[in-house]
Amino acid sequence: MGTEPTKYNLLNTIDSPADLRRLRPEQLPEVCRELREDIIQEVSQNPGHFAASLGTVELTVALHYVLNTPYDRIVWDVGHQAYGHKILTGRRDTFYTNRKLGGIRPFPSPNESEYDTFACGHASNSISAALGMAVAAARKGEKNRHVVAVIGDGSMSGGLAFEGLNNASSTPNNLLIILNDNDMAIDRSVGGMKQYLFNLTTSNRYNQLRFKTSRLLFKMGILNEERRKALIRFANSLKSMAAQQQNIFEGMNIRYFGPIDGHDVRNLARVLRDIKDLQGPKILHLHTVKGKGFAPAEKDPGTWHAPGRFNPETGERYVTDDTHLPPLFQDVFGETLVELAQQNPRIVGVTPAMPTGCSMNKLMEVMPDRAFDVGIAEGHAATFSGGMAKEGLQPFCNIYSTFMQRAYDNVIHDIALLRLPVVLCLDRAGLVGEDGPTHHGVFDLAYFRPIPNLTISSPMNEHELRRLMYTAQLPDKGPFVIRYPRGRGVLTDWRCPLEEIPVGKGRKLKDGKDIAVITLGPIGNLAAKAIGRAEKEKGLSIAHYDLRFLKPLDEDMLHEIGRNFRRIVTIEDGVLKGGMGSAILEFLADNGYTPQVKRIGVPDTFVEHGSIQELYHLCHMDEDEIVKQLE
């Protein structure tokens, strides 16, 4: 169930932004209060991303109030902050299905709503996508269509954001970029000259006069495009002198406005109305508070980024007792990395803005000078690691599998080519659940397999993870990939001696004579249960092999399988096309073996969101489905 339909006086009257635009400006603060309360109530019952959306309530209301959406385009970056947007654009009644199988999507998507203008999930694409839309609007003669990119300060650290800015500064467009800066408190009230300049540069009268003057100078031949850009740079320099601050946009021919209070909805609406029709690219800089309006989230926005279920009145989070459960794979990684770093002084840790999510924070706490959070910059993280490895260090670069896609060229060009000893730890590999298709880490086996010099491995359990990490940092191992899933392992007694695993050697876990099952990674535990059931229910004798390494393959083990089995089943938590099953088929074909091979894995589609168990069933990868296919 969603929130009670009788609870809100104004929000109940809003089924679309057109309804919002019928309200008076003085009613907007109350809309914001009700919208914020609705987000709190909804997310407390149905977990999702929380603090980021609370921080953009006023911005969301102001944008839909001023712009003619959906004709005007709002391009959200990442999408964590767009819950208010979803609620205002016709999805309030279904918001309780957010992130559930068959429900509304975790991030904005054009496949769900015409108000969602572009794909969200990965950071830093908003400026490039919005610039493309702005240029397309101009090409089609849609002079009244406004295009706005909303990007957070975290996403601004991504290289793609700067590529977009660079192009926006040199391509004719009327793009508005909103920089939602939530990493600091709102500045104190600005002084007289600063306020005067801000009021002047955002006023309609000033900008109309400025536009008419520039058009006249163009006609007279006094002003051309290069001189216009120089004037913008000069004006920005004057503003920075008067305001006693500078910013990166001043030299890029992009008009800069701000910073302003992103929680003053009436003033924000006024400013948007005044600057939206200005010619040329422009940036509006807002200061907002992540978690605004919910004290625990304001105090600790990291924990409240995605807090799970909680009491909306007291702020108490409902956390299950995990004392007797196996650990999270990420925590085993974090603890083992500290253990290895204490033994090996060359080890350093690198993560792109995910120190808590990947447990790199454990190394940061113990050895802060040997762990680096490089921000949302996966390509840089890979090349930075390569640079350190070239000079004798041993980087463990931890990047979520789905985000490693953004660093593909860097891995090839800056790590693999020189065979540099970088350990690439791919957290969240495989299907990840409720975050959906932008976050499933299912492509890494297929996209890394063709790259020379890479060792590609996946541990079946926590002991194997520890031993692979130990092996990867031994001398002359070269670039070493270790992929492991989101969530818990299977061993409560997970600490074990750190011992070398021979690279390219798998394990026979169980003998059998009818079928050979080959698995890679933690899905092997699920397969083991299915094998036990299939033997009992169908009277089969099934052998089970843990491949361990996708590259190099254990050829001796595969020759044994090829000689002794007519039926082979491969199971992997990754895409079937080009993955582990494909590698097995290639080996069998190359060596003249012709068994019947059944491959189980992620099909050739973008898998939707839902619980991992639901998605495994959807992909015919759960225990019941595996049992059916063992025959």
Side-chain angles (χ1 to χ4, degrees):
M1 288 290 292
T3 53
E4 291 296 326
T6 58
K7 189 168 185 178
Y8 306 112
N9 292 328
L10 294 179
L11 198 57
N12 286 343
T13 69
I14 300 171
D15 292 322
S16 71
D19 297 326
L20 174 67
R21 291 190 280 270
R22 295 189 185 100
L23 300 179
R24 302 185 305 278
E26 55 267 27
Q27 293 176 291
L28 297 184
E30 175 61 18
V31 173
C32 293
R33 188 197 67 77
E34 294 181 5
L35 181 58
R36 181 169 278 113
E37 177 64 21
D38 195 45
I39 293 172
I40 292 170
Q41 294 295 328
E42 290 283 5
V43 181
S44 71
Q45 300 171 48
N46 303 295
H49 296 105
F50 183 61
S53 283
L54 291 185
T56 57
V57 165
E58 287 78 12
L59 171 59
T60 302
V61 170
L63 283 170
H64 283 296
Y65 188 69
V66 171
L67 299 176
N68 179 29
T69 54
Y71 178 77
D72 289 338
R73 308 301 199 199
I74 302 172
V75 182
W76 295 95
D77 210 288
V78 184
H80 293 152
Q81 70 271 45
Y83 282 2
H85 161 82
K86 285 180 176 256
I87 290 169
L88 290 178
T89 53
R91 286 165 277 184
R92 185 180 166 221
D93 289 343
T94 55
F95 194 76
Y96 71 95
T97 69
N98 185 42
R99 296 166 61 84
K100 296 179 180 178
L101 185 69
I104 65 174
R105 297 166 186 256
F107 304 100
S109 169
N111 294 328
E112 179 174 287
S113 170
E114 62 181 337
Y115 291 93
D116 298 352
T117 60
F118 207 73
C120 287
H122 288 192
S124 310
N125 69 338
S126 61
I127 295 174
S128 298
L131 177 61
M133 293 179 182
V135 169
R139 291 282 297 170
K140 294 190 294 183
E142 297 167 338
K143 297 181 179 179
N144 294 324
R145 171 168 278 168
H146 302 93
V147 182
V148 179
V150 181
I151 185 167
D153 52 339
S155 297
M156 280 299 298
S157 67
L160 182 60
F162 288 92
E163 294 177 26
L165 281 174
N166 181 62
N167 193 200
S169 71
S170 59
T171 300
N173 68 88
N174 295 323
L175 177 64
L176 170 59
I177 301 167
I178 294 180
L179 175 57
N180 174 33
D181 180 354
N182 58 20
D183 197 34
M184 61 189 75
I186 296 168
D187 282 348
R188 64 186 183 278
S189 297
V190 292
M193 178 57 77
K194 294 181 186 178
Q195 189 63 54
Y196 170 76
L197 275 173
F198 181 75
N199 289 340
L200 171 66
T201 55
T202 61
S203 73
N204 246 333
R205 186 174 299 177
Y206 164 81
N207 283 296
Q208 286 176 3
L209 176 62
R210 188 175 179 276
F211 174 67
K212 289 177 181 177
T213 302
S214 67
R215 190 168 57 183
L216 177 62
L217 292 175
F218 263 105
K219 287 183 178 179
M220 295 172 64
I222 297 173
L223 193 65
N224 59 27
E225 186 60 24
E226 283 305 310
R227 289 172 180 165
R228 184 188 72 83
K229 292 178 179 179
L231 280 174
I232 290 175
R233 288 195 294 270
F234 178 67
N236 281 331
S237 297
L238 287 179
K239 285 203 307 186
S240 66
M241 286 170 53
Q244 298 177 350
Q245 62 181 23
Q246 291 181 315
N247 63 69
I248 197 170
F249 314 111
E250 290 167 357
M252 300 183 72
N253 305 311
I254 298 175
R255 296 193 65 189
Y256 171 84
F257 303 97
I260 67 169
D261 182 350
H263 297 301
D264 183 346
V265 66
R266 294 184 65 182
N267 184 56
L268 187 51
R270 179 195 69 80
V271 172
L272 287 171
R273 188 177 293 108
D274 286 345
I275 69 174
K276 67 184 176 72
D277 292 319
L278 298 182
Q279 299 297 298
K282 45 211 169 279
I283 284 182
L284 176 61
H285 182 180
L286 311 182
H287 277 170
T288 61
V289 176
K290 194 171 183 178
K292 177 70 174 178
F294 193 72
E298 289 187 30
K299 184 180 296 185
D300 186 6
T303 297
W304 287 84
H305 174 71
R309 293 182 67 247
F310 61 91
N311 186 318
E313 307 301 326
T314 66
E316 176 191 2
R317 294 174 59 223
Y318 301 133
V319 181
T320 57
D321 180 12
D322 58 5
T323 308
H324 303 294
L325 295 176
L328 298 171
F329 271 99
Q330 68 181 61
D331 288 338
V332 175
F333 162 81
E335 296 282 356
T336 304
L337 183 61
V338 171
E339 195 174 334
L340 290 170
Q342 289 168 338
Q343 300 173 14
N344 183 347
R346 297 185 303 110
I347 286 177
V348 291
V350 178
T351 180
M354 291 294 182
T356 303
C358 73
S359 295
M360 186 73 73
N361 60 327
K362 296 179 185 295
L363 182 64
M364 290 176 170
E365 291 165 5
V366 179
M367 304 176 188
D369 59 330
R370 291 171 63 182
F372 304 92
D373 179 357
V374 301
I376 299 177
E378 292 83 3
H380 166 69
T383 300
F384 173 56
S385 297
M388 289 192 288
K390 178 65 172 62
E391 296 303 314
L393 297 183
Q394 176 63 74
F396 276 72
C397 181
N398 192 308
I399 302 179
Y400 287 10
S401 172
T402 182
F403 299 142
M404 179 58 84
Q405 294 159 197
R406 295 147 60 89
Y408 190 59
D409 176 65
N410 305 80
V411 171
I412 294 174
H413 188 273
D414 301 328
I415 294 176
L417 188 66
L418 296 179
R419 200 177 178 272
L420 295 172
V422 176
V423 185
L424 299 169
C425 301
L426 306 190
D427 199 340
R428 275 41 170 198
L431 294 169
V432 298
E434 291 83 357
D435 279 342
T438 59
H439 282 59
H440 294 318
V442 296
F443 301 108
D444 51 37
L445 295 173
Y447 68 62
F448 272 151
R449 190 162 72 88
I451 302 175
N453 293 337
L454 284 189
T455 295
I456 305 172
S457 66
S458 186
M460 186 169 165
N461 57 39
E462 298 93 316
H463 290 172
E464 289 283 292
L465 173 58
R466 284 171 56 79
R467 289 166 179 153
L468 283 171
M469 290 177 66
Y470 173 77
T471 302
Q473 52 88 54
L474 293 174
D476 199 35
K477 296 303 181 189
F480 205 108
V481 176
I482 307 173
R483 66 157 348 227
Y484 50 91
R486 178 186 184 187
R488 299 190 180 277
V490 294
L491 304 174
T492 53
D493 183 17
W494 58 271
R495 293 190 184 275
C496 65
L498 293 172
E499 301 167 340
E500 181 176 1
I501 293 176
V503 172
K505 288 298 178 182
R507 304 183 296 169
K508 180 195 285 188
L509 301 176
K510 181 184 175 302
D511 278 317
K513 62 179 186 295
D514 295 325
I515 303 173
V517 173
I518 306 173
T519 62
L520 178 65
I523 201 168
N525 299 293
L526 186 65
K529 294 178 181 178
I531 288 169
R533 278 183 52 191
E535 287 190 322
K536 183 181 294 185
E537 296 171 11
K538 302 183 180 183
L540 295 168
S541 174
I542 303 173
H544 186 188
Y545 296 84
D546 172 23
L547 193 61
R548 261 190 186 150
F549 293 91
L550 178 64
K551 190 172 184 178
L553 290 170
D554 187 340
E555 296 193 357
D556 291 339
M557 189 172 80
L558 293 179
H559 277 300
E560 174 189 319
I561 295 169
R563 287 192 300 266
N564 295 318
F565 291 92
R566 299 303 303 161
R567 285 181 290 169
I568 297 172
V569 176
T570 67
I571 307 174
E572 59 195 300
D573 192 0
V575 292
L576 288 171
K577 288 191 178 298
M580 183 265 282
S582 294
I584 302 298
L585 283 173
E586 290 169 14
F587 175 87
L588 296 171
D590 290 345
N591 289 277
Y593 299 116
T594 57
Q596 176 188 341
V597 179
K598 173 69 178 179
R599 294 180 300 145
I600 298 173
V602 178
D604 187 24
T605 185
F606 286 107
V607 180
E608 60 179 303
H609 59 280
S611 71
I612 291 177
Q613 292 74 19
E614 289 171 329
L615 299 185
Y616 270 25
H617 182 70
L618 201 65
C619 296
H620 306 290
M621 293 165 54
D622 63 345
E623 184 180 328
D624 289 341
E625 290 293 325
I626 293 174
V627 170
K628 289 179 186 176
Q629 297 176 74
L630 292 176
E631 55 187 19

